[in-house]
Amino acid sequence: MDQTTPDEHAVVPFLRAGPPPDRTRWEGWQQWRKIRGTFVPAPRLTPAEHQSLSPRRRALHDLHRTATHVNMRLQETPMSARVANLMRGRLQNNAVKFMPGTRDGLMINGGGFQGKTETACDAAASFEDVWREVHHQLLPGRTPGTCDVFVPVAYCRLPVRATPKGLCKAILNVYGDPHPGTLDDLVRAVRDAIRDHHTTALLIDDITRLRLPREDDQDTLDLIRELMDLNVTLVLIGVDIPGSGLLRGAYVDQRTGQWIFPDISRGRGHQAVTGTQTGRRFDMVDLDPFDYSTPAGITAFLDHLAGIEDQLRLLRAFPGMLTTGEMPEYLYGHTRGIVGLLRRLTEDGCTDAILTGEERLTPELLARATIHLGNLNDLDPAAGEVPDIPQNVAPPTKSKPRRGRNTVLDDRGNRSAAGD
Protein backbone atom coordinates (compact mmCIF):
# COMPACT_ATOMS: atom_id res chain seq x y z
CA MET A 1 0.00 0.00 0.00
CA ASP A 2 1.65 3.26 -1.06
CA GLN A 3 1.46 6.54 0.85
CA THR A 4 -1.17 8.01 -1.45
CA THR A 5 -3.71 5.26 -0.68
CA PRO A 6 -3.42 4.73 3.07
CA ASP A 7 -5.69 2.59 5.16
CA GLU A 8 -8.75 4.69 5.96
CA HIS A 9 -8.93 3.21 9.44
CA ALA A 10 -5.22 3.28 10.31
CA VAL A 11 -4.21 4.74 13.65
CA VAL A 12 -3.00 8.33 13.33
CA PRO A 13 0.75 7.93 14.02
CA PHE A 14 1.58 11.46 15.14
CA LEU A 15 -0.86 12.00 17.98
CA ARG A 16 0.46 12.31 21.53
CA ALA A 17 -1.45 10.92 24.49
CA GLY A 18 -1.51 13.26 27.48
CA PRO A 19 0.41 16.46 28.15
CA PRO A 20 3.98 17.01 26.97
CA PRO A 21 6.76 15.75 29.27
CA ASP A 22 7.65 17.96 32.22
CA ARG A 23 11.42 17.98 32.25
CA THR A 24 11.50 19.47 35.76
CA ARG A 25 10.38 16.06 37.08
CA TRP A 26 12.64 13.03 36.71
CA GLU A 27 9.86 10.98 35.13
CA GLY A 28 9.16 13.69 32.56
CA TRP A 29 12.86 14.14 31.81
CA GLN A 30 13.22 10.42 31.13
CA GLN A 31 10.16 10.41 28.89
CA TRP A 32 11.50 13.38 26.92
CA ARG A 33 15.03 11.93 26.73
CA LYS A 34 13.77 8.69 25.24
CA ILE A 35 11.35 10.18 22.68
CA ARG A 36 13.41 13.17 21.54
CA GLY A 37 14.17 12.93 17.85
CA THR A 38 11.66 10.12 17.25
CA PHE A 39 8.87 12.15 15.63
CA VAL A 40 8.03 10.86 12.15
CA PRO A 41 7.24 13.73 9.76
CA ALA A 42 4.43 13.63 7.26
CA PRO A 43 5.20 12.05 3.87
CA ARG A 44 5.87 14.39 0.97
CA LEU A 45 2.97 14.55 -1.46
CA THR A 46 2.52 16.39 -4.72
CA PRO A 47 -0.60 18.54 -5.11
CA ALA A 48 -2.12 15.81 -7.32
CA GLU A 49 -1.41 13.09 -4.75
CA HIS A 50 -2.85 15.26 -2.01
CA GLN A 51 -6.00 15.92 -4.01
CA SER A 52 -6.48 12.22 -4.71
CA LEU A 53 -6.86 11.43 -1.00
CA SER A 54 -10.30 10.99 0.52
CA PRO A 55 -11.56 14.04 2.46
CA ARG A 56 -10.83 12.29 5.76
CA ARG A 57 -7.30 11.27 4.79
CA ARG A 58 -6.62 14.69 3.33
CA ALA A 59 -7.64 16.36 6.59
CA LEU A 60 -5.49 13.94 8.60
CA HIS A 61 -2.54 14.50 6.29
CA ASP A 62 -2.91 18.27 6.69
CA LEU A 63 -2.93 17.80 10.46
CA HIS A 64 0.17 15.61 10.17
CA ARG A 65 1.84 18.34 8.12
CA THR A 66 0.99 20.88 10.80
CA ALA A 67 2.44 18.58 13.46
CA THR A 68 5.57 18.26 11.32
CA HIS A 69 5.99 22.02 11.11
CA VAL A 70 5.63 22.57 14.85
CA ASN A 71 7.86 19.62 15.80
CA MET A 72 10.86 20.31 13.61
CA ARG A 73 14.02 18.64 14.82
CA LEU A 74 16.61 20.62 16.74
CA GLN A 75 19.20 21.84 14.24
CA GLU A 76 22.78 22.34 15.25
CA THR A 77 24.28 25.74 14.47
CA PRO A 78 27.92 26.79 14.82
CA MET A 79 26.88 28.67 17.97
CA SER A 80 24.97 25.80 19.55
CA ALA A 81 27.70 23.30 18.60
CA ARG A 82 30.24 25.36 20.54
CA VAL A 83 27.99 25.37 23.61
CA ALA A 84 27.06 21.67 23.34
CA ASN A 85 30.65 20.51 22.86
CA LEU A 86 31.89 22.48 25.84
CA MET A 87 29.04 21.24 28.00
CA ARG A 88 29.38 17.57 27.04
CA GLY A 89 33.11 17.74 27.65
CA ARG A 90 32.65 19.37 31.04
CA LEU A 91 30.03 16.84 32.15
CA GLN A 92 32.17 13.89 31.07
CA ASN A 93 35.37 15.22 32.63
CA ASN A 94 33.72 15.96 35.96
CA ALA A 95 31.83 12.66 36.01
CA VAL A 96 35.02 10.59 35.95
CA LYS A 97 36.93 12.65 38.53
CA PHE A 98 37.54 10.70 41.73
CA MET A 99 39.24 13.37 43.81
CA PRO A 100 37.05 15.31 46.27
CA GLY A 101 36.46 19.02 45.84
CA THR A 102 34.34 21.38 43.80
CA ARG A 103 33.65 20.66 40.13
CA ASP A 104 34.05 23.46 37.59
CA GLY A 105 30.65 24.73 36.49
CA LEU A 106 29.30 26.22 33.30
CA MET A 107 27.23 29.31 32.58
CA ILE A 108 25.29 29.45 29.30
CA ASN A 109 24.48 33.03 28.35
CA GLY A 110 22.34 34.48 25.59
CA GLY A 111 19.19 36.37 24.71
CA GLY A 112 15.63 35.13 24.96
CA PHE A 113 14.47 32.45 22.45
CA GLN A 114 18.01 31.77 21.24
CA GLY A 115 17.85 28.08 22.06
CA LYS A 116 19.85 28.01 25.29
CA THR A 117 17.54 25.64 27.13
CA GLU A 118 17.09 23.19 24.25
CA THR A 119 20.80 23.15 23.49
CA ALA A 120 21.72 22.54 27.13
CA CYS A 121 19.04 19.89 27.66
CA ASP A 122 19.97 18.03 24.49
CA ALA A 123 23.66 18.03 25.46
CA ALA A 124 22.79 16.80 28.96
CA ALA A 125 20.53 14.07 27.56
CA SER A 126 23.28 12.92 25.18
CA PHE A 127 25.67 12.71 28.14
CA GLU A 128 23.07 10.75 30.13
CA ASP A 129 22.60 8.29 27.27
CA VAL A 130 26.28 7.38 27.53
CA TRP A 131 26.46 7.59 31.32
CA ARG A 132 23.56 5.19 31.78
CA GLU A 133 25.25 2.66 29.50
CA VAL A 134 28.33 2.80 31.71
CA HIS A 135 26.62 2.90 35.09
CA HIS A 136 24.07 0.16 34.66
CA GLN A 137 26.99 -2.23 35.19
CA LEU A 138 27.84 -0.62 38.53
CA LEU A 139 24.47 0.17 40.10
CA PRO A 140 22.31 -2.62 41.45
CA GLY A 141 18.69 -2.96 40.44
CA ARG A 142 15.90 -1.46 42.46
CA THR A 143 15.36 -2.78 45.96
CA PRO A 144 11.85 -4.21 46.36
CA GLY A 145 9.58 -1.94 48.36
CA THR A 146 11.74 1.13 47.82
CA CYS A 147 12.00 3.89 45.26
CA ASP A 148 15.66 3.73 44.22
CA VAL A 149 15.81 6.13 41.29
CA PHE A 150 18.98 6.84 39.33
CA VAL A 151 18.82 10.51 38.24
CA PRO A 152 22.17 11.45 36.64
CA VAL A 153 20.76 14.72 35.24
CA ALA A 154 18.41 17.01 37.17
CA TYR A 155 16.85 20.02 35.42
CA CYS A 156 14.94 22.74 37.24
CA ARG A 157 13.95 26.35 36.75
CA LEU A 158 14.50 29.16 39.20
CA PRO A 159 11.19 30.56 40.48
CA VAL A 160 10.32 34.06 39.29
CA ARG A 161 10.74 35.40 42.83
CA ALA A 162 13.73 33.41 43.95
CA THR A 163 14.45 32.46 47.55
CA PRO A 164 16.71 29.75 48.97
CA LYS A 165 13.61 27.84 50.06
CA GLY A 166 12.07 28.18 46.59
CA LEU A 167 15.21 26.85 44.90
CA CYS A 168 15.43 23.92 47.32
CA LYS A 169 11.80 23.02 46.64
CA ALA A 170 12.34 23.24 42.88
CA ILE A 171 15.28 20.81 43.15
CA LEU A 172 13.40 18.42 45.45
CA ASN A 173 10.45 18.47 43.03
CA VAL A 174 12.71 16.88 40.42
CA TYR A 175 12.98 13.77 42.57
CA GLY A 176 9.44 13.91 43.95
CA ASP A 177 10.85 14.27 47.47
CA PRO A 178 8.92 15.97 50.31
CA HIS A 179 9.65 19.54 51.44
CA PRO A 180 10.85 19.89 55.05
CA GLY A 181 9.64 22.94 56.93
CA THR A 182 12.87 24.78 57.76
CA LEU A 183 15.56 26.10 55.46
CA ASP A 184 18.31 24.07 57.14
CA ASP A 185 16.28 20.89 56.67
CA LEU A 186 15.50 21.82 53.05
CA VAL A 187 19.18 22.31 52.25
CA ARG A 188 20.02 19.03 53.96
CA ALA A 189 17.30 17.27 51.96
CA VAL A 190 18.70 18.70 48.71
CA ARG A 191 22.19 17.48 49.58
CA ASP A 192 20.84 14.03 50.43
CA ALA A 193 18.74 13.83 47.24
CA ILE A 194 21.61 14.77 44.94
CA ARG A 195 23.86 12.20 46.61
CA ASP A 196 21.31 9.39 46.94
CA HIS A 197 20.10 9.68 43.36
CA HIS A 198 23.68 9.77 41.99
CA THR A 199 23.04 13.10 40.26
CA THR A 200 26.05 14.13 38.20
CA ALA A 201 24.70 17.26 36.48
CA LEU A 202 22.35 19.89 37.92
CA LEU A 203 20.91 22.32 35.37
CA ILE A 204 19.33 25.50 36.79
CA ASP A 205 17.48 27.52 34.16
CA ASP A 206 16.39 31.19 34.25
CA ILE A 207 19.23 32.02 36.63
CA THR A 208 19.02 35.74 35.80
CA ARG A 209 15.66 35.98 37.53
CA LEU A 210 17.77 36.79 40.57
CA ARG A 211 17.41 40.50 41.36
CA LEU A 212 20.60 41.39 43.15
CA PRO A 213 21.20 43.03 45.60
CA ARG A 214 17.87 41.85 47.11
CA GLU A 215 18.87 39.80 50.17
CA ASP A 216 16.83 36.73 49.24
CA ASP A 217 18.42 36.71 45.81
CA GLN A 218 21.93 37.03 47.25
CA ASP A 219 21.21 34.15 49.62
CA THR A 220 19.91 32.09 46.69
CA LEU A 221 23.03 32.79 44.63
CA ASP A 222 25.25 31.84 47.55
CA LEU A 223 23.34 28.57 47.92
CA ILE A 224 23.76 27.85 44.21
CA ARG A 225 27.51 28.31 44.46
CA GLU A 226 27.72 26.04 47.49
CA LEU A 227 25.92 23.25 45.66
CA MET A 228 29.14 22.82 43.70
CA ASP A 229 30.59 21.13 46.79
CA LEU A 230 28.28 18.16 46.19
CA ASN A 231 30.34 16.48 43.46
CA VAL A 232 27.86 17.73 40.88
CA THR A 233 28.44 19.79 37.73
CA LEU A 234 26.40 22.97 37.97
CA VAL A 235 25.08 24.40 34.68
CA LEU A 236 23.48 27.84 35.00
CA ILE A 237 21.37 29.11 32.09
CA GLY A 238 20.32 32.74 31.79
CA VAL A 239 19.79 35.88 29.75
CA ASP A 240 22.53 38.55 29.80
CA ILE A 241 24.42 37.06 32.71
CA PRO A 242 27.20 39.72 32.53
CA GLY A 243 24.63 42.51 32.87
CA SER A 244 22.53 40.82 35.55
CA GLY A 245 24.77 41.41 38.56
CA LEU A 246 25.39 37.69 39.08
CA LEU A 247 29.10 38.13 38.44
CA ARG A 248 29.53 40.74 41.13
CA GLY A 249 32.48 39.77 43.27
CA ALA A 250 33.76 37.34 40.66
CA TYR A 251 36.93 37.83 38.66
CA VAL A 252 38.45 36.27 35.56
CA ASP A 253 41.44 33.98 35.89
CA GLN A 254 43.72 35.37 33.19
CA ARG A 255 45.39 31.98 32.78
CA THR A 256 42.25 29.91 32.19
CA GLY A 257 39.66 32.53 31.23
CA GLN A 258 37.29 31.12 33.88
CA TRP A 259 35.15 33.20 36.20
CA ILE A 260 36.06 32.61 39.84
CA PHE A 261 33.64 33.22 42.69
CA PRO A 262 35.55 33.57 45.97
CA ASP A 263 34.34 31.79 49.10
CA ILE A 264 31.12 33.39 50.27
CA SER A 265 30.89 35.10 53.62
CA ARG A 266 29.59 32.97 56.46
CA GLY A 267 26.54 33.74 58.51
CA ARG A 268 23.80 33.83 55.90
CA GLY A 269 20.45 32.18 56.28
CA HIS A 270 21.55 28.72 55.08
CA GLN A 271 24.39 28.04 57.48
CA ALA A 272 23.76 24.30 57.20
CA VAL A 273 25.86 24.32 54.03
CA THR A 274 29.57 24.74 54.70
CA GLY A 275 31.76 26.27 52.02
CA THR A 276 35.20 25.04 51.08
CA GLN A 277 38.47 26.91 50.79
CA THR A 278 38.33 26.66 47.00
CA GLY A 279 36.78 29.36 44.85
CA ARG A 280 33.94 28.28 42.60
CA ARG A 281 35.00 28.26 38.97
CA PHE A 282 32.70 28.70 35.98
CA ASP A 283 33.26 28.86 32.26
CA MET A 284 30.81 31.17 30.53
CA VAL A 285 29.83 30.48 26.92
CA ASP A 286 27.56 32.66 24.79
CA LEU A 287 24.82 31.37 22.52
CA ASP A 288 24.50 34.20 20.03
CA PRO A 289 22.03 34.79 17.19
CA PHE A 290 23.16 34.38 13.60
CA ASP A 291 25.50 37.02 12.24
CA TYR A 292 24.56 38.33 8.80
CA SER A 293 27.49 40.70 8.33
CA THR A 294 30.21 38.23 7.33
CA PRO A 295 30.45 35.55 4.61
CA ALA A 296 30.81 32.82 7.27
CA GLY A 297 27.79 34.12 9.15
CA ILE A 298 25.65 34.29 6.01
CA THR A 299 26.69 30.77 5.02
CA ALA A 300 25.72 29.44 8.45
CA PHE A 301 22.35 31.20 8.27
CA LEU A 302 21.66 29.85 4.79
CA ASP A 303 22.61 26.34 5.89
CA HIS A 304 20.15 26.67 8.76
CA LEU A 305 17.42 27.85 6.39
CA ALA A 306 18.16 24.89 4.11
CA GLY A 307 17.70 22.56 7.08
CA ILE A 308 14.33 24.14 7.87
CA GLU A 309 13.28 23.97 4.23
CA ASP A 310 14.04 20.26 4.14
CA GLN A 311 11.59 19.68 6.99
CA LEU A 312 8.65 21.58 5.48
CA ARG A 313 5.75 19.74 3.87
CA LEU A 314 4.10 22.46 1.80
CA LEU A 315 2.64 21.19 -1.46
CA ARG A 316 4.10 23.98 -3.60
CA ALA A 317 7.47 24.18 -1.89
CA PHE A 318 10.49 24.26 -4.18
CA PRO A 319 14.26 23.94 -3.79
CA GLY A 320 15.70 27.25 -2.59
CA MET A 321 12.36 28.51 -1.27
CA LEU A 322 14.07 29.88 1.86
CA THR A 323 17.64 30.27 0.61
CA THR A 324 17.44 32.22 -2.62
CA GLY A 325 16.26 35.61 -3.79
CA GLU A 326 15.03 38.11 -1.23
CA MET A 327 13.93 35.46 1.26
CA PRO A 328 17.14 35.04 3.36
CA GLU A 329 17.55 38.75 3.93
CA TYR A 330 13.87 39.15 4.69
CA LEU A 331 13.90 36.30 7.21
CA TYR A 332 16.93 37.74 8.93
CA GLY A 333 15.35 41.19 9.11
CA HIS A 334 12.12 39.75 10.50
CA THR A 335 13.84 37.68 13.21
CA ARG A 336 17.27 39.34 13.67
CA GLY A 337 18.80 35.87 13.36
CA ILE A 338 17.22 34.60 16.60
CA VAL A 339 16.61 30.87 16.20
CA GLY A 340 13.44 30.76 18.28
CA LEU A 341 11.80 33.67 16.44
CA LEU A 342 12.73 32.14 13.08
CA ARG A 343 11.15 28.86 14.14
CA ARG A 344 7.93 30.55 15.27
CA LEU A 345 7.71 32.65 12.11
CA THR A 346 8.13 29.53 9.99
CA GLU A 347 5.47 27.66 11.96
CA ASP A 348 2.95 30.50 11.68
CA GLY A 349 3.77 31.05 8.02
CA CYS A 350 3.23 27.36 7.20
CA THR A 351 -0.12 27.40 8.98
CA ASP A 352 -1.20 30.41 6.93
CA ALA A 353 0.13 28.82 3.72
CA ILE A 354 -1.96 25.68 4.28
CA LEU A 355 -5.14 27.53 5.30
CA THR A 356 -5.01 29.94 2.35
CA GLY A 357 -3.97 27.33 -0.20
CA GLU A 358 -0.77 29.24 -0.99
CA GLU A 359 1.22 26.12 0.01
CA ARG A 360 4.57 27.89 -0.09
CA LEU A 361 6.39 30.56 1.88
CA THR A 362 7.04 33.95 0.33
CA PRO A 363 8.08 37.30 1.82
CA GLU A 364 4.61 38.62 1.02
CA LEU A 365 2.92 35.80 2.96
CA LEU A 366 5.29 36.08 5.91
CA ALA A 367 4.77 39.83 6.05
CA ARG A 368 1.16 39.11 7.01
CA ALA A 369 2.17 36.66 9.74
CA THR A 370 2.45 37.64 13.39
CA ILE A 371 5.04 35.78 15.42
CA HIS A 372 3.25 34.09 18.30
CA LEU A 373 5.50 33.12 21.20
CA GLY A 374 2.90 30.91 22.84
CA ASN A 375 2.15 30.85 26.56
CA LEU A 376 4.39 33.40 28.23
CA ASN A 377 3.02 32.92 31.75
CA ASP A 378 6.13 31.01 32.81
CA LEU A 379 8.53 33.60 31.36
CA ASP A 380 9.81 36.73 33.06
CA PRO A 381 9.98 39.69 30.63
CA ALA A 382 11.90 41.73 33.23
CA ALA A 383 14.72 39.16 33.07
CA GLY A 384 14.97 39.44 29.28
CA GLU A 385 13.33 36.06 28.64
CA VAL A 386 10.92 37.55 26.07
CA PRO A 387 12.71 39.19 23.11
CA ASP A 388 11.46 42.21 21.23
CA ILE A 389 9.74 41.05 18.06
CA PRO A 390 10.09 43.15 14.88
CA GLN A 391 6.60 44.15 13.79
CA ASN A 392 5.15 45.12 10.41
CA VAL A 393 8.24 44.04 8.48
CA ALA A 394 7.44 44.81 4.85
CA PRO A 395 8.58 42.39 2.15
CA PRO A 396 11.57 43.56 0.12
CA THR A 397 11.00 45.38 -3.13
CA LYS A 398 11.99 43.67 -6.34
CA SER A 399 14.70 46.26 -6.94
CA LYS A 400 16.42 45.57 -3.63
CA PRO A 401 19.81 43.80 -4.00
CA ARG A 402 19.59 40.12 -3.26
CA ARG A 403 21.81 38.20 -0.91
CA GLY A 404 21.03 34.51 -1.31
CA ARG A 405 23.28 31.59 -2.08
CA ASN A 406 24.22 33.26 -5.38
CA THR A 407 25.85 36.25 -3.66
CA VAL A 408 28.69 36.77 -1.23
CA LEU A 409 30.20 39.66 0.68
CA ASP A 410 33.66 40.93 -0.05
CA ASP A 411 36.10 42.01 2.66
CA ARG A 412 34.45 45.44 2.84
CA GLY A 413 30.98 44.02 3.23
CA ASN A 414 29.89 44.80 -0.34
CA ARG A 415 27.72 42.35 -2.26
CA SER A 416 29.13 40.66 -5.32
CA ALA A 417 28.03 37.76 -7.48
CA ALA A 418 29.58 34.42 -6.63
CA GLY A 419 32.43 33.64 -8.95
CA ASP A 420 33.17 37.26 -9.92
Side-chain angles (χ1 to χ4, degrees), residues 171-358:
I171 295 174
L172 292 174
N173 284 342
V174 173
Y175 308 102
D177 288 357
H179 302 164
T182 68
L183 178 57
D184 285 353
D185 288 340
L186 279 167
V187 173
R188 188 175 296 108
V190 167
R191 295 171 67 89
D192 292 344
I194 291 175
R195 181 193 65 242
D196 294 344
H197 294 283
H198 301 272
T199 299
T200 303
L202 175 60
L203 281 60
I204 303 180
D205 207 347
D206 305 321
I207 188 65
T208 42
R209 289 177 174 179
L210 294 176
R211 303 282 196 276
L212 302 178
R214 197 171 67 94
E215 185 174 353
D216 276 344
D217 290 336
Q218 183 61 59
D219 284 343
T220 304
L221 179 60
D222 291 343
L223 173 60
I224 290 172
R225 296 174 189 170
E226 292 179 358
L227 291 176
M228 297 176 72
D229 294 339
L230 303 180
N231 195 26
V232 64
T233 302
L234 208 58
V235 180
L236 308 181
I237 308 167
V239 176
D240 189 21
I241 292 176
S244 68
L246 295 179
L247 302 179
R248 188 180 58 186
Y251 61 93
V252 177
D253 185 330
Q254 298 300 323
R255 182 178 58 85
T256 65
Q258 291 179 310
W259 286 88
I260 300 178
F261 291 88
D263 286 336
I264 64 170
S265 60
R266 305 296 189 264
R268 289 197 175 274
H270 44 87
Q271 298 176 9
V273 182
T274 304
T276 66
Q277 297 302 312
T278 304
R280 280 74 174 172
R281 290 175 173 265
F282 285 87
D283 282 292
M284 182 162 61
V285 58
D286 295 314
L287 186 56
D288 299 315
F290 283 99
D291 177 16
Y292 208 60
S293 63
T294 66
I298 294 174
T299 297
F301 186 62
L302 292 175
D303 288 342
H304 189 74
L305 293 182
I308 293 176
E309 182 181 305
D310 182 63
Q311 299 184 67
L312 302 185
R313 295 298 186 264
L314 297 177
L315 301 179
R316 298 178 62 202
F318 56 91
M321 180 176 65
L322 301 184
T323 59
T324 59
E326 301 92 352
M327 185 63 95
E329 194 160 338
Y330 176 76
L331 290 171
Y332 187 86
H334 206 146
T335 64
R336 299 195 304 278
I338 298 174
V339 172
L341 295 186
L342 178 61
R343 187 185 188 98
R344 292 300 178 91
L345 178 62
T346 304
E347 292 176 6
D348 296 341
C350 287
T351 298
D352 192 29
I354 292 175
L355 292 176
T356 62
E358 178 71 16

Side-chain angles (χ1 to χ4, degrees), residues 118-138:
E118 294 308 314
T119 298
C121 286
D122 188 70
S126 297
F127 160 76
E128 181 173 341
D129 292 341
V130 175
W131 196 240
R132 282 185 174 275
E133 286 292 322
V134 173
H135 249 246
H136 84 279
Q137 304 175 37
L138 304 177

Side-chain angles (χ1 to χ4, degrees), residues 6 78 111 144 146 153 199 201 238 245 250 260 268 272 325 340 365 370 384 398:
T146 69
V153 174
T199 299
I260 300 178
R268 289 197 175 274
L365 181 142
T370 300
K398 296 300 182 181

Side-chain angles (χ1 to χ4, degrees), residues 90-168:
R90 179 59 44 82
L91 294 180
Q92 292 174 5
N93 289 348
N94 287 348
V96 296
K97 284 184 178 179
F98 295 102
M99 297 298 293
T102 59
R103 301 295 187 253
D104 290 353
L106 183 64
M107 293 184 287
I108 300 178
N109 176 63
F113 279 76
Q114 288 180 187
K116 301 181 300 300
T117 296
E118 294 308 314
T119 298
C121 286
D122 188 70
S126 297
F127 160 76
E128 181 173 341
D129 292 341
V130 175
W131 196 240
R132 282 185 174 275
E133 286 292 322
V134 173
H135 249 246
H136 84 279
Q137 304 175 37
L138 304 177
L139 293 177
R142 292 187 179 184
T143 302
T146 69
C147 185
D148 298 330
V149 180
F150 178 42
V151 185
V153 174
Y155 168 81
C156 68
R157 301 180 64 187
L158 199 67
V160 172
R161 186 171 178 83
T163 64
K165 282 189 174 181
L167 174 60
C168 288

